[in-house]
């Protein structure tokens, strides 16, 4: 029988980075309603306390154990975090931070190799947060990620905030150079949500940006997959309240052959 796998990705906009103001208690309350995913991944996590808080929230709301992998790079409150469900997944090797992709003090992509206990399917899960303020650095990161994907032996699922400012639900989804560099030669492929809405609300701009994505590379491109942008019906004002992150979460679900 096919195996099921689901992931959840969210930029939580901690107050340690570029004036973010999100309240971890408000985020945790919202997180309690997003149950049932095998992997939860976050960017802009302030510190270890925030990471532990998200872990505790999931374990209390789902009555299950989660393993925690927290990145070490990023400015004051901009760390990457991966939590995976220990009942369904096991870790195959030590997590990696791809330091060569930081590009001048940015976030090193965080990678963990996992296997589904039910049927043995192995894959690499990557959490990203590409440069927002420097287009040149972001393009170099996208190019390096594309090259990295071509060298992987395991299927890859890559989520996060990519800051591709040219991807819009109201126009062409392919008119951003960073997006084109990342997906060039069909190395990465976007798991495109059926309903496209903006995923981020900058208080200074009213532009339909999709910044948050789930991509697949390698064998995972052949897996049956779907994606959803959560909180799609919440208005702009909801994401600009003092305690809330200005990003919508993005999820993806996969059906894959057992033991692939």
């Amino acid at each position: 029988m096919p195996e099921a796998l689901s992931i959840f990705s969210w930029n939580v906009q901690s107050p340690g980075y570029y004036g973010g103001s999100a309240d971890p208690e408000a985020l945790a309350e919202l997180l309690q309603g997003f149950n049932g995913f095998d992997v939860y991944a976050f960017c802009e996590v302030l510190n270890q306390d925030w990471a532990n808080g998200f872990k505790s929230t999931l374990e209390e709301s789902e009555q299950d154990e989660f393993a925690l992998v927290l990145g070490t790079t990023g400015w004051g409150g901009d760390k990457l975090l991966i939590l995976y469900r220990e009942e369904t997944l096991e870790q195959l090797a030590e997590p990696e931070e791809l330091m060569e992709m930081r590009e001048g003090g940015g976030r090193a992509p965080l990678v963990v190799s996992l296997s589904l206990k039910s049927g043995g399917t192995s894959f690499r899960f990557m959490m990203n947060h590409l440069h927002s303020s420097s287009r040149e650095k972001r393009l170099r990161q996208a190019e390096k990620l594309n090259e990295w994907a071509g060298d992987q032996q395991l299927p890859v699922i890559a989520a996060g905030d990519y800051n591709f400012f040219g991807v819009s639900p109201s126009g062409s989804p392919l008119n951003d150079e960073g997006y084109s560099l990342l997906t060039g030669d069909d190395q990465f492929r976007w798991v495109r949500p059926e309903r496209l809405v903006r995923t981020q609300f900058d208080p200074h701009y009213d532009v339909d940006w999709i910044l948050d994505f789930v991509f697949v590379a390698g064998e995972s491109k052949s897996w049956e997959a779907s994606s959803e942008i959560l909180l799609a019906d919440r208005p702009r004002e909801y994401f600009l309240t003092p305690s809330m992150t200005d990003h919508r979460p993005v999820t993806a679900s996969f059906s894959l052959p057992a033991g692939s």
Side-chain angles (χ1 to χ4, degrees):
M1 293 182 60
E3 293 183 273
L5 174 68
S6 59
I7 70 102
F8 172 99
S9 173
W10 199 13
N11 182 330
V12 292
Q13 199 197 20
S14 79
Y17 181 64
Y18 280 151
S21 61
D23 175 14
E25 293 185 4
L27 297 174
E29 183 177 353
L30 192 58
L31 184 60
Q32 291 175 7
F34 302 134
N35 289 334
F37 296 94
D38 298 295
V39 179
Y40 291 81
F42 306 85
C43 52
E44 292 194 29
V45 173
L46 182 63
N47 52 31
Q48 186 72 53
D49 287 343
W50 273 50
N52 293 340
F54 290 142
K55 181 177 186 292
S56 297
T57 294
L58 291 175
E59 291 182 339
E60 291 173 7
S61 64
E62 302 204 30
Q63 294 297 296
D64 213 343
E65 297 294 324
F66 286 83
L68 184 155
V69 180
L70 180 64
T72 64
T73 66
W75 293 283
D78 193 24
K79 294 186 178 356
L80 302 177
L81 170 65
I82 296 172
L83 296 165
Y84 64 87
R85 191 183 299 272
E86 293 188 293
E87 182 181 5
T88 59
L89 293 165
E90 60 182 344
Q91 190 169 299
L92 300 177
E94 288 298 311
E96 296 179 56
E97 290 183 282
L98 306 182
M99 296 297 186
E100 68 276 14
M101 298 189 196
R102 291 188 69 187
E103 287 295 332
R107 286 75 52 172
L110 184 61
V111 182
V112 60
S113 297
L114 299 168
S115 179
L116 279 161
K117 292 182 177 180
S118 59
T121 298
S122 299
F123 63 97
R124 307 200 79 190
F125 180 81
M126 166 186 276
M127 188 59 175
N128 282 307
H129 189 183
L130 303 193
H131 275 281
S132 60
S133 58
S134 172
R135 177 178 178 273
E136 291 75 16
K137 291 178 181 179
R138 183 169 62 253
L139 295 183
R140 288 197 296 270
Q141 287 178 311
E143 192 169 23
K144 288 180 178 180
L145 286 168
N146 180 281
E147 295 171 358
W148 176 87
D151 294 332
Q152 302 310 301
Q153 301 302 311
L154 290 177
V156 175
I157 300 171
D161 178 356
Y162 288 81
N163 283 309
F164 293 151
F165 295 102
V167 182
S168 169
S170 58
S172 169
L174 308 174
N175 60 355
D176 183 273
E177 187 175 357
Y179 178 98
S180 298
L181 286 171
L182 183 76
T183 59
D185 297 325
D186 198 33
Q187 290 288 14
F188 275 108
R189 186 178 300 168
W190 181 19
V191 183
R192 182 172 173 170
E194 183 175 344
R195 180 183 180 187
L196 293 178
V197 295
R198 65 192 295 174
T199 65
Q200 192 265 354
F201 292 82
D202 190 300
H204 304 103
Y205 302 97
D206 192 18
V207 180
D208 277 344
W209 284 331
I210 297 176
L211 304 186
D212 305 87
F213 298 82
V214 178
F215 293 100
V216 287
E219 186 182 342
S220 56
K221 290 186 294 185
S222 67
W223 296 347
E224 183 180 339
S226 61
S227 179
E228 182 180 2
I229 300 169
L230 301 183
L231 306 178
D233 295 319
R234 299 287 176 99
R236 180 179 189 270
E237 292 72 24
Y238 173 82
F239 297 96
L240 298 178
T241 55
S243 62
M244 186 50 56
T245 173
D246 61 358
H247 283 254
R248 288 179 164 124
V250 177
T251 71
S253 298
F254 301 90
S255 179
L256 50 152
S260 60

